[in-house]
Amino acid sequence: MSKKVVVLTGAGGVLCSTLAQALAKEGHKIAVLDLNIEAANMVVDSINSYEGEAIGVKANVLKKESLDLAKKEVNRQLGPCDILINGAGGNHPLGTTSNPYLKEEDLKNTAEGFKTFFDLDADGIQFTFNLNFIGTLLPTQVFARDMVGREGCSILNISSMNAFTPLTKIPAYSGAKAAVSNFTQWLAVHFSKVGIRVNALAPGFFLTDQNRALLTDKDGSLTSRGNTIIGQTPMGRFGEPEDLIGTTLWLCSEGASFVTGVVVPVDGGFSAFSGV
Ligand code: NAD
């Protein structure tokens, strides 16, 4: 891949910090964007420690003005954006049910924090839709302007397994990631005449801070949900952030120059397995 300016949102986080480091090792100039500037700067320090080139920029993917300012800083320090990786995303507990299936007795459960479908909070659902979908759309509006009419530019969104088939308990996050996958296809078509490819990764299950409490108990053993996931993953393990590197480098490179509008599962076979 020729040397590019790569902007990653949410790159202070677990998965995209790994992608930022891998892209820096390939010689690209990296803009590490995150709401949490301390986390972004730690990633920058680690990249600069092996003579990579990176800058940390505070940016809120839900605020256009914040992204406009971030773009100015990226352009001033690194030049026009060639590749955008929309990594900021996540779930919210208020858009999550306590149980996978509704049972009649659940309606009488008054335990604090217990949530059925009927207790889901519209604000929690809105938060999740905004963070994943609007948080992909706005950075694209801001940074893709640099890409129009230039060669070798592309966008990589981060979708999820639950976009193909919703996971139990997390309707908001599943719906929001389905929107990200759908938008990836829409945008790939829309941008097809101006030289911008648009694709997405659909990571399977990666043990990160976002889902650790759902998948493991305090002693590190698997919860029943964690066990179910491993049982449904033919390769028999959770993903490691490094598992996303190869597909990312490929989709952002000239090797994928005729690939646009795809959502690639990186999931140890989870989405291919019927369970039988
Ligand atoms: P993470 O929580 O470690 O990182 C997310 C980062 O986004 C954090 O650094 C956070 O500060 C930042 N962020 C949050 N709100 C923001 C905002 N408004 N503006 C800018 N930055 C903001 O999450 P992760 O596990 O690295 O996940 C990265 C992406 O991969 C997310 O889109 C997530 O939904 C997706 N994903 C994760 C998994 C998994 O198993 N971890 C699986 C599938 C998809």
Side-chain angles (χ1 to χ4, degrees):
M1 191 178 4
S2 54
K3 304 306 170 209
K4 308 280 192 197
V5 172
V6 184
V7 174
L8 301 97
T9 69
V14 179
L15 299 184
C16 287
S17 62
T18 303
L19 298 182
Q21 285 162 338
L23 286 153
K25 282 190 179 134
E26 297 288 310
H28 303 297
K29 295 193 234 174
I30 309 295
V32 178
L33 269 55
D34 206 291
L35 194 55
N36 178 347
I37 188 65
E38 289 79 24
N41 284 338
M42 277 167 66
V43 178
V44 169
D45 288 346
S46 96
I47 289 174
N48 292 341
S49 72
Y50 50 77
E51 296 183 354
E53 187 173 354
I55 59 166
V57 185
K58 181 166 180 161
N60 183 345
V61 294
L62 300 177
K63 297 261 184 274
K64 193 95 177 276
E65 319 81 74
S66 163
L67 290 161
D68 283 333
L69 285 175
K71 177 172 182 289
K72 269 195 190 140
E73 205 47 38
V74 171
N75 289 164
R76 189 178 69 78
Q77 294 198 51
L78 303 180
C81 171
D82 299 295
I83 291 172
L84 170 66
I85 300 185
N86 282 310
N91 191 19
H92 193 286
L94 291 178
T96 303
T97 61
S98 299
N99 284 335
Y101 310 103
L102 182 71
K103 303 203 184 87
E104 276 182 53
E105 60 265 31
D106 290 345
L107 298 182
K108 295 184 200 117
N109 190 330
T110 53
E112 201 187 328
F114 184 83
K115 278 196 306 305
T116 70
F117 166 75
F118 300 106
D119 305 312
L120 289 176
D121 179 283
D123 290 339
I125 292 171
Q126 187 76 61
F127 173 92
T128 308
F129 266 83
N130 284 349
L131 179 56
N132 292 281
F133 182 61
I134 304 295
T136 295
L137 184 130
L138 291 183
T140 303
Q141 286 183 318
V142 170
F143 286 98
R145 276 186 186 274
D146 275 356
M147 303 180 190
V148 175
R150 289 172 55 240
E151 297 219 333
C153 293
S154 67
I155 296 164
L156 187 65
N157 296 328
I158 312 288
S159 183
S160 172
M161 266 316 90
N162 55 47
F164 301 114
T165 311
L167 300 182
T168 58
K169 296 171 69 165
I170 51 170
Y173 186 56
S174 298
K177 287 301 192 187
V180 169
S181 288
N182 189 280
F183 178 59
T184 299
Q185 293 177 305
W186 183 87
L187 199 63
V189 173
H190 192 67
F191 279 173
S192 59
K193 313 292 187 209
V194 293
I196 309 172
R197 295 181 303 103
V198 188
N199 294 296
L201 297 181
F205 295 88
F206 291 67
L207 201 51
T208 59
D209 291 343
Q210 199 187 109
N211 57 22
R212 195 173 305 278
L214 272 177
L215 305 183
T216 56
D217 285 320
K218 288 205 173 81
D219 64 2
S221 60
L222 290 179
T223 59
S224 102
R225 192 173 178 85
N227 268 316
T228 306
I229 288 166
I230 295 299
Q232 288 280 128
T233 303
M235 292 181 79
R237 65 170 176 88
F238 292 115
E240 299 291 336
E242 290 72 18
D243 290 321
L244 297 174
I245 293 172
T247 313
T248 299
L249 295 182
W250 167 59
L251 285 174
C252 295
S253 75
E254 285 85 19
S257 59
F258 200 47
V259 180
T260 195
V262 302
V263 180
V264 180
V266 183
D267 66 347
F270 181 90
S271 58
F273 185 42
S274 71
V276 177

